[in-house]
Amino acid sequence: MLTPLSTIDIINARLARLESLKAQTPIGIYGSFYNNRKEDLIRLRDSLRKLGYNARISEDLDGGSGNIGGISKSVWDRELSERLINESDAHIFVVPRRREGESDTLIQSVSMELERLNTLIECGTKKNQQIAVFYELGLMDLKEWGVGAVFRGLIDRSQSWTVGEFERINDLLPQARSFCFDALYRLGR
């Protein structure tokens, strides 16, 4: 029979294991860096880090050097994106809605990253990946500028993904936190 002291020891050991898993499981955050949207992604990353999660955006992988070794910025950005996908086991895609004055290609990079990850999963290169797609309120509205049918179809057919909607990045934190916790469980580490 367990004594109260041994029960506390078991609980403390499990909590320590959870904290260890949070720190060891790389979580990639993908989204637009256009204008202030990068700050939104950084706020989301930092909020998850404060909870002990190993959350990263692509720029966290460049070593802080800012040196891209003579290659173009766009090639460097692509390489960082590939590394983030390859090195992460859980992935949070933040898909913004285009606003007046913003580029028509606002979500192009994040949708390409999602498709790349999906292709790697389908080809068997990446296994047991946890994916969340959070899109900004109104993005899926067919009457407004939003996403195309192929992107929408990818979301609709992916039954195991966590999908949610948000109005402001701060609204996303509870959903992202819940996804991260569930991802640890599903990864079965």
Side-chain angles (χ1 to χ4, degrees):
M1 183 161 149
L2 293 176
T3 67
L5 183 58
S6 62
T7 302
I8 290 172
D9 289 340
I10 291 169
I11 292 169
N12 285 335
R14 288 183 179 169
L15 288 173
R17 176 75 176 134
L18 174 61
E19 291 306 313
S20 176
L21 288 174
K22 287 163 74 173
Q24 293 173 11
T25 304
I27 300 168
I29 299 174
Y30 311 82
S32 176
F33 283 11
Y34 188 79
N35 283 342
N36 68 339
R37 295 187 185 272
K38 179 178 173 183
E39 286 76 30
D40 286 345
L41 297 176
I42 290 170
R43 271 197 303 282
L44 176 59
R45 178 202 65 192
D46 291 349
S47 295
L48 291 173
R49 283 181 174 178
K50 285 179 186 173
L51 296 170
Y53 291 102
N54 182 8
R56 306 175 301 173
I57 61 174
S58 59
E59 287 185 355
D60 294 328
L61 304 178
D62 73 358
S65 67
N67 181 1
I68 58 176
I71 61 175
S72 72
K73 172 124 173 53
S74 58
V75 170
W76 182 247
D77 288 346
R78 172 67 182 193
E79 289 180 6
L80 290 177
S81 170
E82 289 173 355
R83 278 189 59 203
L84 187 61
I85 290 169
N86 292 339
E87 295 176 10
S88 298
D89 294 325
H91 310 266
I92 299 174
F93 293 86
V94 180
V95 189
R97 182 174 54 88
R98 180 184 174 274
R99 296 194 182 103
E100 179 111 15
E102 291 182 327
S103 170
D104 288 341
T105 60
L106 179 69
I107 67 168
Q108 185 175 13
S109 291
V110 70
S111 64
M112 289 179 68
E113 289 167 326
L114 180 59
E115 183 59 44
R116 175 176 169 70
L117 176 59
N118 185 66
T119 300
L120 291 171
I121 291 168
E122 287 178 344
C123 293
T125 302
K126 295 230 11 131
K127 297 178 181 174
N128 198 20
Q129 300 296 293
Q130 301 305 305
I131 300 171
V133 179
F134 299 113
Y135 56 87
E136 192 171 358
L137 183 68
L139 182 68
M140 297 296 187
D141 187 353
L142 295 175
K143 297 173 192 158
E144 299 293 326
W145 185 96
V147 296
V150 173
F151 181 85
R152 192 181 331 274
L154 179 63
I155 303 298
D156 289 346
R157 90 170 179 193
S158 301
Q159 299 297 315
S160 64
W161 296 359
T162 299
V163 178
E165 191 173 40
F166 68 96
E167 188 171 354
R168 289 175 303 283
I169 202 74
N170 292 341
D171 302 335
L172 183 55
L173 182 58
Q175 295 177 76
R177 182 178 56 228
S178 177
F179 163 75
C180 290
F181 187 81
D182 288 347
L184 292 179
Y185 177 75
R186 290 185 193 141
L187 286 167
R189 295 183 176 243

